[in-house]
Amino acid sequence: MNFSLTTDYAIRIILYLNVHGKSTSKEMARDLQISHNYISKVLKSGKFNDLIENKPGRNGGFLLRKTGAEISLLDIMSITENNLFFNSCLENSKQCDSCKTFEESLCPLKKQYQKIDNYLREKLAMTRISELSK
Amino acid sequence: MQMKRATNYALRIMIELSLSPKVAVPTLSKMLELQESYVIKILIKLKKAGLVKAIAGVNGGYSLNKERSQITLYMIIEAIENSIKINRCLEHDQFCSRSATDYCAVRKLYMELQHGIENEFKQVTLERLLLEKSSS
């Protein structure tokens, strides 16, 4: 049930950019102990376009589009995690297919998952990159 | 990060077992619309965790191995999921490729979240779950 490795790396990269400003993928690979290939692949995939800008050219590099105070862990995980819902039954598109004992709207398990899911999202949304950089 | 399907089935099985003194595998398999072999696989994990016991014989089946009030959602989830830790660095070996386990601010937050999640699941017993069902 772990968060993905991509989540770990993305948080590291964004924390780094928040502290160091514009940086190249080589610099980040060196300082963050992440392979250079991986960093360029992830950053050039376009997934992080809302958060990270890629400035091409000789003095180019990557930099954040927002301040650290404007980026939450939830923003990052919404990009990196395929499923941020704690249980599949919380996804709108999915019917509760494995827990048929209860009326869906009354299911005490679902209520429990909802509570945990809300707790997680709230905490992750409250936690800003600026705070973690201190 | 999501709970496994097998865990959802395990919870459903445990709820069924807490409603009757004994349930046969074919009954569970029909109810869950799952192959018997898969149901047995889940039951074996639950048995290993000491949550259910097998009753041999023609009228055999499975039953709870403890009182409903002694079985928490946490125990059931733990029996099926390989790990219920939200991040790799919270596992027993505390592995971090940056070797930052001791001071990492993100890990500190993860520890808090992990604690919050586990506490929620530890508080809910099968007994309480069924009470909520009947009162809703």
Side-chain angles (χ1 to χ4, degrees):
Chain A
M1 220 172 62
N2 288 178
F3 289 129
S4 68
L5 200 56
T6 307
T7 295
D8 259 3
Y9 287 170
I11 296 172
R12 266 187 227 179
I13 290 170
I14 290 170
L15 279 169
Y16 187 89
L17 293 175
N18 185 52
V19 172
H20 294 88
K22 190 174 71 188
S23 312
T24 64
S25 46
K26 270 195 182 138
E27 288 164 339
M28 290 191 270
R30 183 195 62 210
D31 293 346
L32 296 173
Q33 283 124 43
I34 308 173
S35 88
H36 180 241
N37 273 349
Y38 191 89
I39 294 193
S40 19
K41 200 180 89 189
V42 167
L43 290 182
K44 286 175 182 160
S45 68
K47 275 173 142 185
F48 292 94
N49 277 357
D50 287 347
L51 301 178
I52 300 172
E53 190 184 342
N54 180 8
K55 275 220 192 305
R58 215 152 53 113
N59 295 313
F62 295 93
L63 71 159
L64 295 183
R65 285 186 195 277
K66 301 175 179 179
T67 66
E70 290 169 318
I71 303 174
S72 72
L73 284 187
L74 187 65
D75 294 333
I76 301 173
M77 289 187 189
S78 305
I79 299 172
T80 54
E81 292 290 315
N82 290 330
N83 263 314
L84 202 48
F85 289 102
F86 198 72
N87 195 294
S88 58
C89 68
L90 299 177
E91 290 173 56
N92 278 335
S93 56
K94 281 194 187 161
Q95 290 291 315
C96 170
D97 60 354
S98 50
C99 177
K100 292 170 181 146
T101 318
F102 307 104
E103 268 296 310
E104 200 189 330
S105 60
L106 302 175
C107 175
L109 279 174
K110 189 167 181 172
K111 275 189 215 158
Q112 200 61 40
Y113 297 146
Q114 193 70 65
K115 200 169 150 191
I116 290 178
D117 203 67
N118 289 344
Y119 164 77
L120 270 177
R121 276 166 198 276
E122 209 173 284
K123 284 277 187 186
L124 294 172
M126 265 165 42
T127 308
R128 302 303 168 115
I129 285 300
S130 49
E131 243 174 85
L132 297 168
S133 301
K134 280 175 199 162
Chain B
M1 194 198 66
Q2 198 165 72
M3 283 170 66
K4 286 184 189 171
R5 215 162 232 267
T7 307
N8 287 341
Y9 291 131
L11 287 160
R12 173 86 205 281
I13 290 172
M14 292 300 283
I15 289 165
E16 287 308 325
L17 296 185
S18 52
L19 294 170
S20 348
K22 178 187 72 192
V23 185
V25 173
T27 314
L28 289 171
S29 140
K30 222 170 155 185
M31 221 178 255
L32 295 159
E33 294 167 35
L34 293 175
Q35 287 194 350
E36 281 187 24
S37 58
Y38 187 51
V39 173
I40 291 170
K41 229 170 131 180
I42 295 173
L43 282 165
I44 287 173
K45 286 193 177 174
L46 292 170
K47 194 176 158 211
K48 265 192 187 155
L51 301 177
V52 303
K53 60 183 174 210
I55 297 162
V58 196
N59 294 314
Y62 279 82
S63 68
L64 293 186
N65 195 32
K66 293 173 195 238
E67 292 293 318
R68 298 195 305 202
S69 58
Q70 299 301 310
I71 300 176
T72 63
L73 292 188
Y74 181 82
M75 293 172 176
I76 303 167
I77 295 167
E78 203 189 24
I80 308 295
E81 301 276 339
N82 292 330
S83 160
I84 52 169
K85 302 291 185 212
I86 59 170
N87 206 47
R88 178 70 178 86
C89 61
L90 301 181
E91 301 292 351
H92 195 62
D93 62 2
Q94 305 192 353
F95 176 79
C96 169
S97 60
R98 208 165 58 99
S99 308
T101 309
D102 292 338
Y103 58 87
C104 174
V106 180
R107 184 171 187 270
K108 258 186 213 153
L109 172 79
Y110 286 159
M111 281 173 75
E112 187 192 334
L113 295 178
Q114 185 71 40
H115 192 69
I117 294 170
E118 289 186 9
N119 259 357
E120 280 296 330
F121 284 131
K122 280 177 183 168
Q123 278 172 30
V124 185
T125 61
L126 283 173
E127 175 101 338
R128 195 175 131 195
L129 202 65
L130 294 167
L131 272 175
E132 280 184 37
K133 182 201 172 200
S134 54
S135 65
S136 50

